[in-house]
Amino acid sequence: MIAPTLSRFEEAVSKIIESDSVADIEQFMEELTSYGVTEISQLEESYAGCYRDEATFCEDLMSNIYSSEMDALPVWLQCAIDWELVWHQSLRHDYFTVYFDSEYYFFNSNF
């Protein structure tokens, strides 16, 4: 049997989800399509990373954007931030997730 040839978009999805399974790629692409991501440029522009949960994504994103501000906070205050609440209250409006293979893949909605 001849292995199917993947499009550039399918190859990009394959790299993101780290799977060569055509079924996995198609399933993931269906999710992306439901959010309007149908081209490789949209995928590349919107992909924000893979995380175990929303809270970890929020903490990582905010730590990267506001690193000096976060470092200036006392440690007790840094540890008091409810990152899950930050996701639900603020960031879920600008990002969407695709839950796949026990992980969350984050995409910026403003592509």
Side-chain angles (χ1 to χ4, degrees):
M1 176 178 251
I2 298 173
T5 303
L6 299 177
S7 69
R8 287 187 55 229
F9 186 63
E10 291 168 329
E11 286 179 12
V13 169
S14 172
K15 288 179 184 175
I16 287 173
I17 65 173
E18 298 178 353
S19 174
D20 292 331
S21 165
V22 174
D24 287 349
I25 294 167
E26 287 177 356
Q27 178 185 354
F28 199 87
M29 287 178 62
E30 284 179 29
E31 283 282 329
L32 291 175
T33 301
S34 72
Y35 289 102
V37 178
T38 58
E39 299 176 12
I40 192 168
S41 61
Q42 294 170 325
L43 178 68
E44 291 171 344
E45 188 175 330
S46 64
Y47 182 61
C50 177
Y51 294 86
R52 68 176 183 258
D53 55 39
E54 293 99 345
T56 305
F57 168 72
C58 290
E59 182 175 9
D60 192 46
L61 181 66
M62 294 298 104
S63 295
N64 287 334
I65 294 172
Y66 300 107
S67 62
S68 59
E69 292 86 348
M70 293 293 292
D71 291 342
L73 292 174
V75 174
W76 63 267
L77 190 53
Q78 291 176 26
C79 296
I81 298 171
D82 184 341
W83 293 110
E84 188 174 342
L85 180 62
V86 171
W87 168 257
H88 290 290
Q89 186 174 13
S90 301
L91 294 179
R92 71 182 174 94
H93 304 290
D94 292 318
Y95 292 87
F96 67 88
T97 62
V98 175
Y99 187 73
F100 180 79
D101 199 22
S102 301
E103 295 182 295
Y104 290 91
Y105 293 82
F106 288 83
F107 297 87
N108 191 315
S109 299
N110 304 307
F111 55 91

Coordinates of all heavy atoms in Angstrom, one line a residue, residues 28-110:
F28 N -7.6 16.4 14.2 CA -7.1 17.7 14.6 C -7.5 18.8 13.7 O -7.9 19.9 14.1 CB -5.6 17.7 14.8 CG -5.1 18.7 15.7 CD1 -5.0 18.6 17.1 CD2 -4.6 19.9 15.2 CE1 -4.5 19.5 17.9 CE2 -4.1 20.9 16.0 CZ -4.1 20.7 17.4
M29 N -7.4 18.6 12.4 CA -7.7 19.5 11.4 C -9.2 19.9 11.4 O -9.6 21.0 11.1 CB -7.3 19.1 10.0 CG -5.8 19.1 9.8 SD -5.3 18.5 8.2 CE -6.1 19.6 7.1
E30 N -10.0 18.9 11.7 CA -11.5 19.2 11.8 C -11.8 20.2 12.9 O -12.6 21.1 12.7 CB -12.2 17.9 12.1 CG -12.4 17.0 10.8 CD -13.2 15.7 11.2 OE1 -14.0 15.7 12.1 OE2 -12.9 14.7 10.5
E31 N -11.1 20.0 14.0 CA -11.2 21.0 15.1 C -10.8 22.4 14.7 O -11.4 23.4 14.9 CB -10.4 20.5 16.3 CG -11.0 19.4 17.1 CD -12.1 19.9 18.0 OE1 -12.1 21.1 18.5 OE2 -13.0 19.2 18.3
L32 N -9.6 22.4 14.0 CA -9.1 23.7 13.6 C -10.0 24.4 12.6 O -10.3 25.6 12.7 CB -7.7 23.6 12.9 CG -6.6 23.2 13.9 CD1 -5.3 22.9 13.1 CD2 -6.3 24.2 14.9
T33 N -10.6 23.6 11.7 CA -11.5 24.1 10.7 C -12.8 24.7 11.4 O -13.3 25.8 10.9 CB -11.9 23.0 9.7 OG1 -10.7 22.6 9.1 CG2 -12.9 23.5 8.7
S34 N -13.2 24.1 12.5 CA -14.4 24.7 13.2 C -14.1 26.0 13.8 O -15.0 26.8 14.0 CB -14.9 23.7 14.2 OG -14.0 23.6 15.3
Y35 N -12.8 26.4 14.0 CA -12.5 27.7 14.5 C -12.0 28.6 13.4 O -11.6 29.8 13.6 CB -11.3 27.6 15.5 CG -11.8 27.0 16.8 CD1 -11.5 25.7 17.1 CD2 -12.5 27.8 17.7 CE1 -12.0 25.1 18.3 CE2 -12.9 27.2 18.9 CZ -12.6 25.9 19.2 OH -13.1 25.4 20.4
G36 N -12.1 28.2 12.1 CA -11.7 29.0 11.0 C -10.3 28.9 10.5 O -9.9 29.7 9.6
V37 N -9.5 28.0 11.1 CA -8.1 27.8 10.7 C -8.1 26.8 9.6 O -8.3 25.6 9.8 CB -7.2 27.4 11.9 CG1 -5.8 27.1 11.4 CG2 -7.3 28.4 13.0
T38 N -7.9 27.3 8.3 CA -8.0 26.4 7.2 C -6.8 26.5 6.3 O -6.6 25.7 5.3 CB -9.2 26.7 6.3 OG1 -9.2 28.1 5.9 CG2 -10.5 26.5 7.1
E39 N -5.8 27.4 6.6 CA -4.6 27.6 5.8 C -3.4 27.5 6.7 O -3.5 27.8 7.9 CB -4.7 28.9 5.1 CG -5.8 29.1 4.2 CD -5.9 30.5 3.6 OE1 -4.9 31.3 3.7 OE2 -6.9 30.8 3.0
I40 N -2.3 27.1 6.1 CA -1.0 27.0 6.9 C -0.6 28.3 7.5 O -0.1 28.4 8.6 CB 0.1 26.4 6.0 CG1 1.3 26.0 6.9 CG2 0.5 27.3 4.9 CD1 2.3 25.1 6.2
S41 N -0.8 29.4 6.8 CA -0.4 30.7 7.3 C -1.2 31.1 8.6 O -0.7 31.6 9.5 CB -0.6 31.8 6.3 OG -2.0 31.9 5.9
Q42 N -2.5 30.7 8.6 CA -3.4 30.9 9.8 C -2.9 30.0 10.9 O -2.8 30.5 12.1 CB -4.8 30.6 9.5 CG -5.4 31.5 8.5 CD -6.8 31.1 8.0 OE1 -7.0 29.9 7.9 NE2 -7.7 32.0 7.8
L43 N -2.5 28.8 10.6 CA -2.0 27.9 11.6 C -0.7 28.4 12.3 O -0.6 28.5 13.5 CB -1.8 26.5 11.0 CG -1.2 25.4 11.9 CD1 -2.2 25.1 13.0 CD2 -0.8 24.2 11.1
E44 N 0.2 28.8 11.4 CA 1.5 29.3 11.9 C 1.3 30.6 12.7 O 2.0 30.8 13.7 CB 2.4 29.6 10.7 CG 2.9 28.3 10.1 CD 3.6 28.5 8.8 OE1 3.6 29.6 8.2 OE2 4.3 27.5 8.3
E45 N 0.4 31.5 12.3 CA 0.2 32.7 13.0 C -0.5 32.6 14.3 O -0.2 33.3 15.3 CB -0.6 33.7 12.1 CG -0.7 35.1 12.6 CD -1.5 36.0 11.6 OE1 -1.4 35.8 10.4 OE2 -2.1 36.9 12.1
S46 N -1.4 31.6 14.4 CA -2.2 31.5 15.6 C -1.7 30.5 16.7 O -2.0 30.6 17.8 CB -3.6 31.1 15.2 OG -3.6 29.8 14.6
Y47 N -0.9 29.5 16.3 CA -0.4 28.5 17.2 C 0.4 29.1 18.4 O 1.3 29.9 18.1 CB 0.4 27.4 16.5 CG 0.8 26.3 17.5 CD1 -0.1 25.5 18.2 CD2 2.2 26.0 17.7 CE1 0.3 24.5 19.0 CE2 2.6 25.0 18.5 CZ 1.6 24.3 19.2 OH 2.0 23.3 20.1
A48 N 0.0 28.9 19.6 CA 0.7 29.4 20.8 C 1.3 28.4 21.7 O 1.9 28.8 22.7 CB -0.3 30.3 21.5
G49 N 1.2 27.1 21.4 CA 1.9 26.2 22.2 C 1.0 25.1 22.7 O -0.3 25.1 22.6
C50 N 1.6 24.1 23.3 CA 0.9 22.9 23.8 C 1.2 22.8 25.3 O 2.4 22.9 25.8 CB 1.4 21.6 23.1 SG 0.7 20.1 23.8
Y51 N 0.1 22.7 26.1 CA 0.3 22.7 27.6 C -0.7 21.6 28.2 O -1.6 21.2 27.6 CB -0.1 24.1 28.2 CG 0.9 25.1 27.8 CD1 0.8 25.8 26.6 CD2 2.0 25.4 28.6 CE1 1.7 26.8 26.2 CE2 2.9 26.4 28.2 CZ 2.7 27.1 27.0 OH 3.6 28.0 26.6
R52 N -0.4 21.3 29.4 CA -1.2 20.2 30.1 C -2.5 20.8 30.6 O -3.5 20.1 30.8 CB -0.5 19.6 31.3 CG -0.2 20.5 32.4 CD 0.5 19.8 33.6 NE 0.6 20.8 34.7 CZ 1.7 21.4 35.0 NH1 2.8 21.1 34.4 NH2 1.7 22.2 36.0
D53 N -2.6 22.2 30.8 CA -3.8 22.8 31.2 C -3.8 24.3 30.9 O -2.8 24.8 30.6 CB -4.1 22.5 32.7 CG -3.0 22.9 33.6 OD1 -2.4 24.0 33.3 OD2 -2.7 22.2 34.6
E54 N -5.0 24.9 31.1 CA -5.1 26.4 30.8 C -4.2 27.2 31.8 O -3.7 28.2 31.4 CB -6.5 26.8 30.9 CG -7.4 26.3 29.8 CD -8.2 25.1 30.3 OE1 -7.9 24.5 31.3 OE2 -9.2 24.7 29.5
A55 N -4.2 26.8 33.0 CA -3.5 27.5 34.0 C -2.0 27.6 33.7 O -1.4 28.7 33.8 CB -3.7 26.9 35.4
T56 N -1.4 26.5 33.3 CA 0.0 26.5 32.9 C 0.3 27.4 31.7 O 1.3 28.2 31.7 CB 0.5 25.1 32.6 OG1 0.2 24.3 33.8 CG2 2.0 25.0 32.4
F57 N -0.6 27.4 30.7 CA -0.5 28.3 29.6 C -0.5 29.7 30.0 O 0.3 30.5 29.6 CB -1.6 28.0 28.6 CG -1.7 29.0 27.5 CD1 -0.8 29.1 26.5 CD2 -2.8 30.0 27.5 CE1 -0.9 30.1 25.5 CE2 -2.9 30.9 26.5 CZ -1.9 31.0 25.5
C58 N -1.5 30.1 30.9 CA -1.6 31.5 31.3 C -0.4 32.0 32.1 O 0.1 33.0 31.8 CB -2.8 31.7 32.2 SG -4.4 31.5 31.3
E59 N 0.1 31.1 33.0 CA 1.3 31.5 33.8 C 2.5 31.7 32.9 O 3.2 32.7 33.0 CB 1.6 30.5 34.8 CG 2.7 30.8 35.7 CD 3.0 29.8 36.8 OE1 2.3 28.8 36.9 OE2 3.8 30.2 37.7
D60 N 2.7 30.8 31.9 CA 3.8 30.9 31.0 C 3.7 32.1 30.1 O 4.7 32.8 29.9 CB 3.9 29.6 30.1 CG 5.2 29.5 29.4 OD1 6.2 29.7 30.0 OD2 5.1 29.1 28.2
L61 N 2.5 32.3 29.5 CA 2.3 33.5 28.7 C 2.5 34.8 29.4 O 3.3 35.7 28.9 CB 0.9 33.5 28.1 CG 0.5 34.6 27.2 CD1 1.3 34.5 25.9 CD2 -1.0 34.6 26.9
M62 N 2.0 34.9 30.6 CA 2.1 36.2 31.4 C 3.6 36.4 31.8 O 4.1 37.5 31.9 CB 1.2 36.2 32.5 CG -0.3 36.3 32.1 SD -0.7 37.8 31.2 CE -0.9 37.1 29.6
S63 N 4.2 35.3 32.2 CA 5.6 35.3 32.6 C 6.5 35.8 31.5 O 7.5 36.5 31.7 CB 6.1 34.0 33.2 OG 5.4 33.7 34.4
N64 N 6.2 35.4 30.3 CA 7.0 35.8 29.1 C 6.7 37.2 28.7 O 7.6 38.0 28.4 CB 6.7 34.9 27.9 CG 7.3 33.5 28.0 OD1 8.3 33.3 28.7 ND2 6.7 32.5 27.4
I65 N 5.5 37.6 28.8 CA 5.1 39.0 28.4 C 5.5 40.0 29.5 O 6.0 41.1 29.2 CB 3.6 39.1 28.1 CG1 3.2 38.3 26.9 CG2 3.2 40.6 27.9 CD1 1.7 38.2 26.6
Y66 N 5.3 39.7 30.7 CA 5.5 40.6 31.8 C 6.6 40.1 32.8 O 6.4 40.1 34.0 CB 4.2 40.8 32.6 CG 3.1 41.4 31.8 CD1 2.0 40.6 31.4 CD2 3.1 42.7 31.4 CE1 1.0 41.1 30.7 CE2 2.1 43.2 30.6 CZ 1.0 42.4 30.3 OH 0.0 43.0 29.5
S67 N 7.7 39.6 32.2 CA 8.7 39.0 33.0 C 9.3 39.9 34.1 O 9.4 39.5 35.3 CB 9.8 38.4 32.2 OG 10.5 39.5 31.5
S68 N 9.6 41.1 33.8 CA 10.2 42.0 34.8 C 9.1 42.4 35.8 O 9.5 42.5 37.0 CB 10.8 43.2 34.1 OG 9.8 44.0 33.4
E69 N 7.9 42.6 35.4 CA 6.8 42.9 36.3 C 6.6 41.8 37.3 O 6.3 41.9 38.5 CB 5.6 43.3 35.6 CG 5.7 44.6 34.9 CD 6.2 44.5 33.5 OE1 6.7 43.4 33.1 OE2 6.1 45.5 32.7
M70 N 6.5 40.5 36.7 CA 6.3 39.4 37.6 C 7.4 39.2 38.5 O 7.2 38.8 39.7 CB 6.1 38.1 36.7 CG 4.9 38.1 35.8 SD 3.4 38.0 36.7 CE 3.5 36.4 37.4
D71 N 8.7 39.4 38.1 CA 9.8 39.2 39.0 C 9.8 40.2 40.1 O 10.4 40.0 41.2 CB 11.1 39.3 38.2 CG 11.4 38.1 37.2 OD1 10.7 37.1 37.5 OD2 12.2 38.2 36.3
A72 N 9.2 41.4 39.8 CA 9.2 42.5 40.8 C 8.2 42.2 41.9 O 8.3 42.7 43.0 CB 8.9 43.8 40.2
L73 N 7.2 41.3 41.7 CA 6.2 40.9 42.7 C 6.9 40.1 43.8 O 7.7 39.2 43.5 CB 5.1 40.1 42.1 CG 4.2 40.9 41.1 CD1 3.2 39.9 40.5 CD2 3.4 42.0 41.8
P74 N 6.4 40.2 45.0 CA 6.9 39.3 46.1 C 6.5 37.9 45.8 O 5.5 37.7 45.2 CB 6.2 39.8 47.3 CG 5.7 41.2 47.0 CD 5.5 41.2 45.5
V75 N 7.3 36.9 46.2 CA 7.0 35.5 45.9 C 5.7 35.1 46.4 O 5.0 34.4 45.7 CB 8.2 34.6 46.4 CG1 7.8 33.2 46.3 CG2 9.5 34.9 45.8
W76 N 5.3 35.6 47.6 CA 4.0 35.1 48.1 C 2.9 35.6 47.3 O 1.8 34.9 47.2 CB 3.9 35.6 49.6 CG 3.8 37.1 49.7 CD1 4.9 38.0 50.0 CD2 2.7 38.0 49.6 NE1 4.5 39.3 50.0 CE2 3.2 39.3 49.8 CE3 1.3 37.8 49.4 CZ2 2.3 40.4 49.8 CZ3 0.5 38.9 49.3 CH2 1.0 40.2 49.5
L77 N 3.0 36.8 46.6 CA 2.0 37.3 45.7 C 2.0 36.5 44.4 O 1.0 36.2 43.8 CB 2.2 38.8 45.5 CG 1.0 39.5 44.8 CD1 -0.3 39.2 45.4 CD2 1.3 41.0 44.7
Q78 N 3.2 36.2 43.9 CA 3.3 35.4 42.6 C 2.6 34.1 42.8 O 1.9 33.6 41.9 CB 4.8 35.2 42.3 CG 5.5 36.4 41.8 CD 7.0 36.0 41.6 OE1 7.3 34.9 41.3 NE2 7.8 37.0 41.7
C79 N 2.7 33.5 44.0 CA 2.1 32.2 44.2 C 0.6 32.3 44.5 O -0.1 31.2 44.4 CB 2.8 31.5 45.4 SG 4.5 31.1 45.1
A80 N 0.1 33.5 44.7 CA -1.3 33.6 45.0 C -2.2 33.8 43.8 O -3.4 33.9 43.9 CB -1.5 34.8 46.0
I81 N -1.6 34.0 42.6 CA -2.3 34.2 41.4 C -3.1 33.0 41.0 O -2.5 31.9 40.9 CB -1.4 34.7 40.2 CG1 -0.8 36.1 40.6 CG2 -2.2 34.9 38.9 CD1 0.3 36.5 39.7
D82 N -4.3 33.1 40.7 CA -5.1 32.0 40.3 C -5.1 32.0 38.7 O -5.9 32.7 38.1 CB -6.6 32.1 40.8 CG -7.5 30.9 40.4 OD1 -7.1 30.2 39.5 OD2 -8.5 30.8 41.1
W83 N -4.2 31.2 38.2 CA -4.0 31.2 36.7 C -5.2 30.6 36.0 O -5.5 31.0 34.8 CB -2.7 30.5 36.3 CG -1.5 31.3 36.8 CD1 -0.7 30.9 37.8 CD2 -1.1 32.6 36.4 NE1 0.3 31.9 38.0 CE2 0.1 32.9 37.1 CE3 -1.5 33.5 35.4 CZ2 0.8 34.1 36.9 CZ3 -0.8 34.6 35.2 CH2 0.3 35.0 36.0
E84 N -5.9 29.7 36.6 CA -7.1 29.2 35.9 C -8.2 30.3 35.8 O -8.9 30.4 34.8 CB -7.6 28.0 36.7 CG -8.7 27.3 36.0 CD -9.2 26.0 36.7 OE1 -8.4 25.4 37.5 OE2 -10.3 25.5 36.4
L85 N -8.3 31.1 36.8 CA -9.2 32.2 36.8 C -8.8 33.2 35.7 O -9.7 33.7 35.0 CB -9.3 32.8 38.2 CG -10.3 34.0 38.3 CD1 -11.7 33.6 38.0 CD2 -10.2 34.7 39.6
V86 N -7.5 33.4 35.6 CA -7.1 34.3 34.6 C -7.5 33.8 33.2 O -8.0 34.6 32.3 CB -5.5 34.5 34.6 CG1 -5.0 35.3 33.4 CG2 -5.1 35.2 35.9
W87 N -7.4 32.5 33.0 CA -7.9 31.9 31.7 C -9.3 32.2 31.5 O -9.8 32.7 30.5 CB -7.6 30.4 31.6 CG -8.3 29.8 30.5 CD1 -9.4 29.0 30.5 CD2 -7.9 29.9 29.1 NE1 -9.8 28.6 29.3 CE2 -8.9 29.1 28.4 CE3 -6.9 30.5 28.4 CZ2 -8.8 29.0 27.0 CZ3 -6.8 30.4 27.0 CH2 -7.8 29.6 26.4
H88 N -10.1 31.8 32.5 CA -11.6 31.9 32.3 C -12.1 33.3 32.3 O -13.1 33.6 31.6 CB -12.3 31.1 33.4 CG -12.1 29.6 33.2 ND1 -12.7 28.9 32.2 CD2 -11.4 28.7 33.9 CE1 -12.4 27.7 32.3 NE2 -11.6 27.5 33.3
Q89 N -11.4 34.2 33.0 CA -11.9 35.6 33.1 C -11.4 36.4 31.9 O -12.1 37.3 31.5 CB -11.5 36.2 34.4 CG -12.0 37.6 34.6 CD -11.6 38.1 36.0 OE1 -10.8 37.6 36.7 NE2 -12.3 39.2 36.4
S90 N -10.2 36.2 31.4 CA -9.6 37.1 30.4 C -9.1 36.4 29.1 O -9.5 36.9 28.1 CB -8.4 37.8 31.1 OG -8.9 38.5 32.2
L91 N -8.3 35.4 29.2 CA -7.6 35.0 28.0 C -8.4 34.1 27.1 O -8.1 34.0 25.9 CB -6.3 34.3 28.4 CG -5.2 35.2 29.0 CD1 -4.0 34.4 29.4 CD2 -4.9 36.3 28.1
R92 N -9.4 33.4 27.6 CA -10.2 32.5 26.8 C -11.0 33.3 25.7 O -11.4 32.7 24.7 CB -11.2 31.7 27.6 CG -12.4 32.5 28.2 CD -13.3 31.6 29.0 NE -14.3 32.4 29.7 CZ -15.5 32.6 29.2 NH1 -15.9 32.1 28.0 NH2 -16.4 33.4 29.8
H93 N -11.0 34.6 25.8 CA -11.7 35.4 24.8 C -10.7 35.6 23.6 O -11.2 35.9 22.5 CB -12.1 36.7 25.4 CG -13.1 36.6 26.5 ND1 -14.3 36.1 26.4 CD2 -12.9 36.8 27.8 CE1 -14.9 36.0 27.6 NE2 -14.0 36.4 28.5
D94 N -9.4 35.6 23.8 CA -8.4 35.8 22.8 C -7.8 34.5 22.3 O -7.1 34.6 21.2 CB -7.3 36.7 23.3 CG -7.9 38.1 23.6 OD1 -8.6 38.6 22.7 OD2 -7.5 38.7 24.6
Y95 N -8.0 33.4 22.9 CA -7.4 32.2 22.6 C -8.5 31.1 22.5 O -9.4 31.2 23.3 CB -6.3 31.7 23.5 CG -5.1 32.6 23.5 CD1 -5.0 33.8 24.3 CD2 -4.0 32.3 22.7 CE1 -3.9 34.6 24.2 CE2 -2.9 33.2 22.6 CZ -2.8 34.3 23.4 OH -1.8 35.1 23.3
F96 N -8.2 30.0 21.7 CA -9.1 28.9 21.8 C -8.1 27.6 22.0 O -7.0 27.7 21.7 CB -10.0 28.7 20.6 CG -9.3 28.5 19.3 CD1 -9.0 27.2 18.9 CD2 -9.0 29.5 18.5 CE1 -8.4 27.0 17.6 CE2 -8.3 29.3 17.2 CZ -8.1 28.0 16.8
T97 N -8.7 26.6 22.5 CA -7.9 25.4 22.7 C -8.5 24.2 21.9 O -9.7 24.1 21.6 CB -7.9 24.9 24.1 OG1 -9.3 24.6 24.6 CG2 -7.3 26.0 25.0
V98 N -7.6 23.3 21.5 CA -8.0 22.0 20.9 C -7.4 21.0 21.9 O -6.2 20.9 22.1 CB -7.4 21.8 19.5 CG1 -7.7 20.4 19.0 CG2 -8.0 22.9 18.6
Y99 N -8.3 20.3 22.5 CA -7.9 19.2 23.5 C -7.7 17.9 22.6 O -8.6 17.4 22.0 CB -9.0 19.0 24.5 CG -8.5 18.0 25.6 CD1 -7.5 18.4 26.5 CD2 -9.0 16.8 25.7 CE1 -7.1 17.6 27.5 CE2 -8.6 15.9 26.7 CZ -7.7 16.3 27.6 OH -7.2 15.4 28.6
F100 N -6.5 17.5 22.7 CA -6.1 16.3 21.8 C -5.0 15.5 22.5 O -4.0 16.0 23.0 CB -5.6 16.8 20.5 CG -5.2 15.7 19.5 CD1 -6.2 15.0 18.8 CD2 -3.9 15.3 19.4 CE1 -5.8 14.0 18.0 CE2 -3.5 14.3 18.5 CZ -4.5 13.6 17.8
D101 N -5.3 14.2 22.6 CA -4.3 13.3 23.2 C -3.8 13.7 24.6 O -2.6 13.8 24.9 CB -3.1 13.1 22.3 CG -2.3 11.9 22.6 OD1 -2.9 10.9 23.2 OD2 -1.1 11.8 22.2
S102 N -4.8 14.1 25.4 CA -4.6 14.5 26.8 C -3.8 15.8 27.0 O -3.2 16.0 28.1 CB -3.9 13.4 27.6 OG -4.6 12.2 27.6
E103 N -3.7 16.6 26.0 CA -3.1 17.9 26.1 C -3.9 19.0 25.4 O -4.7 18.7 24.6 CB -1.7 17.9 25.4 CG -0.7 16.9 26.1 CD 0.6 16.9 25.4 OE1 0.7 16.5 24.2 OE2 1.6 17.3 26.1
Y104 N -3.7 20.2 25.8 CA -4.3 21.4 25.3 C -3.4 22.1 24.3 O -2.3 22.5 24.7 CB -4.8 22.4 26.4 CG -5.9 21.9 27.2 CD1 -5.6 21.2 28.4 CD2 -7.2 22.1 26.9 CE1 -6.6 20.8 29.3 CE2 -8.2 21.7 27.7 CZ -7.9 21.0 28.9 OH -8.9 20.6 29.7
Y105 N -3.9 22.3 23.1 CA -3.2 23.1 22.1 C -3.8 24.4 22.0 O -5.0 24.5 21.7 CB -3.2 22.4 20.7 CG -2.4 21.0 20.8 CD1 -3.0 19.9 21.3 CD2 -1.1 21.0 20.3 CE1 -2.3 18.7 21.4 CE2 -0.4 19.8 20.4 CZ -1.0 18.7 20.9 OH -0.3 17.5 21.0
F106 N -3.0 25.5 22.2 CA -3.6 26.8 22.3 C -3.3 27.6 21.0 O -2.2 27.5 20.4 CB -2.9 27.6 23.4 CG -3.4 27.1 24.7 CD1 -2.8 26.0 25.3 CD2 -4.4 27.7 25.4 CE1 -3.2 25.5 26.5 CE2 -4.8 27.3 26.6 CZ -4.3 26.2 27.2
F107 N -4.3 28.3 20.6 CA -4.3 29.1 19.3 C -4.9 30.5 19.6 O -5.9 30.6 20.3 CB -5.1 28.5 18.2 CG -4.5 27.1 17.8 CD1 -4.9 26.0 18.5 CD2 -3.6 27.0 16.8 CE1 -4.4 24.7 18.2 CE2 -3.1 25.8 16.5 CZ -3.5 24.6 17.1
N108 N -4.2 31.5 19.1 CA -4.7 32.9 19.2 C -5.9 33.0 18.2 O -5.8 32.7 17.0 CB -3.6 33.9 18.8 CG -4.0 35.3 19.2 OD1 -5.1 35.8 18.9 ND2 -3.1 36.0 19.8
S109 N -7.0 33.5 18.7 CA -8.2 33.7 17.9 C -8.1 34.9 16.9 O -8.9 35.0 16.0 CB -9.4 33.9 18.8 OG -9.6 32.9 19.6
N110 N -7.1 35.7 17.1 CA -7.0 36.9 16.3 C -6.0 36.8 15.2 O -5.0 37.5 15.1 CB -6.6 38.1 17.2 CG -7.6 38.3 18.3 OD1 -8.8 38.4 18.1 ND2 -7.2 38.3 19.6

